[in-house]
Amino acid sequence: MNMERKHQLNPAITAMRCLKCGKTYPVGDYFYGCPDCLEKGENAALTFCYEGTGRIDKGRRGFSRYVQFLPYADTVTLGEGGTPLIALEALAQELGVARLYSKNEFQNPTGSHKDRMNPFITARAAALGYETVTCASSGNEAASLAAYAAAEGLKCVNVSTARIPKLWKDASDASGAELVLVLASNDRLAYQREHMGKRWYPATNLLEVPVSSSPYGVQGYKTLAFEVYEEMGEALPDYILIPTCRGDLLYGVFEGFLDLKRAGYIDRLPKLAACEPLPRLELILEQGRSHREKFPGSSDLTSSIGGATATFQSEYALRGSSGFAVSVSQEEAAASVAQMARHGLYLETSSSIVYPCLQKAVRNGKIPPEASVLLVLTSSGYKNG
């Protein structure tokens, strides 16, 4: 561990709170989410209770501008955040909305939005004296966690399947991480649970019915909302489309806008839309299905947001922002890579899915033609190989 950083927890954090039952707990590490909900079989994530009203420190740069809203102020940094927000006039006309923007998360240090999460996970692990961090990942998180662990001076164990693309494997290996390959996705979780006695700090969810990644890391996603506000001000988008699997990014962005509203910076929340490669949250919201179910369908071409499960935190963010979920087929997701690239944005399939999802939402009347829309572009197309 790098002893130069003390990693003092934000003193404004007074407790942790369950999103589902509302019960509060002492600040700590609840690797399986809310203990009370878990006992009832109702898996739910925890978030933090902050005392007082946070303010943006406009005299600072990067994440340090937002330290009053975040768990740690002295994290390692590789230059994450501050990603470009650009207007897409031609694409707006093509897709039938008044104004369209993108937030280019693929321009983070390791090429994805995951770089907003891992500085806070490695800070938490180091603060507690852990020497190793671990994750179950299809690729983006493995590359990002390996990089931030190396910067923090921690060991890293990434657990994936043999289907992990070579470029992600190479990135993990180059950072000095140990890569463990197992047969199936759920085997990743079992492997990590079996090795918890080795004092590995888990960055990601450990349950087959998922809860969330480390809540310390999820807090880092609030910075995306803060940056959107700082750039757009009162002209915040009406809708924000986010590629979604277990909803860490979706929920973090939601809580970021909640923080801004509580602090008096904004008076309304953008409506969030979860973009899915198969109907999961869509069925939960529209048909009353349970987030504990498994949802059939193929997501092989969109592994970064694939899988048969959803989370309560995703449902919470969508309902809380008066948003919705929209799903498209694998064929539409694959075709969207070229459709976005023709506008200069070459994206991972799991990221370019926002194109057909916006198209479908406009067609179905969920997004009106006079709306302004922001697309969160999570990862680049150079990861499609």
Side-chain angles (χ1 to χ4, degrees), residues 47-48 50 66 68-71 116 217-228 248-249 251-257 259-260:
T47 189
F48 295 89
Y50 289 80
Y66 314 123
Q68 294 182 30
F69 299 97
L70 298 170
R116 292 184 185 271
V218 172
Q219 291 287 290
Y221 288 135
K222 297 195 298 186
T223 60
L224 191 151
F226 302 153
E227 290 175 9
V228 170
D248 293 333
L249 176 60
Y251 177 77
V253 169
F254 170 69
E255 188 170 309
F257 282 116
D259 284 351
L260 291 168

Side-chain angles (χ1 to χ4, degrees), residues 67-368:
V67 292
Q68 294 182 30
F69 299 97
L70 298 170
Y72 288 98
D74 58 345
T75 64
V76 297
T77 180
L78 299 175
E80 60 285 336
T83 55
L85 192 155
I86 61 174
L88 302 170
E89 295 179 7
L91 190 56
Q93 185 174 5
E94 183 176 310
L95 289 170
V97 294
R99 292 172 301 282
L100 185 63
Y101 308 89
S102 69
K103 183 68 168 160
N104 293 359
E105 290 296 282
F106 58 85
Q107 292 182 245
N108 276 301
T110 74
S112 84
H113 64 292
K114 300 288 187 179
D115 294 344
R116 292 184 185 271
M117 177 170 76
N118 289 310
F120 300 95
I121 292 174
T122 55
R124 180 61 179 174
L128 297 179
Y130 283 80
E131 294 184 353
T132 302
V133 289
T134 183
C135 74
S137 172
S138 60
N140 278 316
E141 174 60 5
S144 180
L145 185 64
Y148 282 89
E152 183 66 72
L154 298 173
K155 298 175 184 176
C156 180
V157 178
N158 289 324
V159 188
S160 190
T161 67
R163 299 179 67 179
I164 184 173
K166 183 178 183 299
L167 59 93
W168 274 317
K169 178 183 181 299
D170 290 346
S172 175
D173 291 346
S175 297
E178 177 186 351
L179 183 63
V180 176
L181 300 180
V182 295
L183 290 177
S185 292
N186 283 341
D187 294 337
R188 301 175 306 175
L189 310 180
Y191 184 91
Q192 289 185 298
R193 291 194 299 266
E194 290 168 6
H195 290 79
M196 289 296 286
K198 291 186 175 181
R199 292 279 296 165
W200 293 357
Y201 190 89
T204 52
N205 166 75
L206 293 171
L207 297 172
E208 291 185 22
V209 177
V211 177
S212 74
S213 293
S214 164
Y216 294 89
V218 172
Q219 291 287 290
Y221 288 135
K222 297 195 298 186
T223 60
L224 191 151
F226 302 153
E227 290 175 9
V228 170
Y229 159 71
E230 289 216 82
E231 184 138 0
M232 303 188 75
E234 293 181 0
L236 281 177
D238 301 312
Y239 297 86
I240 300 180
L241 272 63
I242 301 175
T244 299
C245 178
R246 296 187 178 94
D248 293 333
L249 176 60
L250 179 72
Y251 177 77
V253 169
F254 170 69
E255 188 170 309
F257 282 116
L258 272 186
D259 284 351
L260 291 168
K261 191 170 187 293
R262 290 170 185 146
Y265 287 108
I266 61 176
D267 57 13
R268 68 173 180 87
L269 273 62
K271 294 178 174 66
L272 303 183
C275 298
E276 305 184 284
L278 67 153
R280 297 170 304 210
L281 290 163
E282 197 172 24
L283 297 177
I284 289 170
L285 294 178
E286 297 180 7
Q287 297 183 13
R289 301 276 289 274
S290 169
H291 71 279
R292 290 188 56 80
E293 292 184 44
K294 288 194 174 181
F295 300 90
S298 174
S299 56
D300 290 347
L301 300 178
T302 52
S303 60
S304 293
I305 54 170
T309 56
T311 59
F312 179 77
Q313 68 173 356
S314 299
E315 179 185 355
Y316 187 95
L318 295 177
R319 293 191 187 280
S321 67
S322 301
F324 61 90
V326 58
S327 64
V328 294
S329 70
Q330 289 290 281
E331 292 75 20
E332 289 172 292
S336 68
V337 174
Q339 289 163 331
M340 289 295 287
R342 291 188 186 108
H343 290 271
L345 296 163
Y346 181 48
L347 305 171
E348 184 185 354
T349 309
S350 296
S351 180
S352 65
I353 196 172
V354 294
Y355 180 101
C357 285
L358 176 54
Q359 198 172 42
K360 183 177 179 180
V362 171
R363 185 171 63 246
N364 292 349
K366 290 186 175 181
I367 294 180

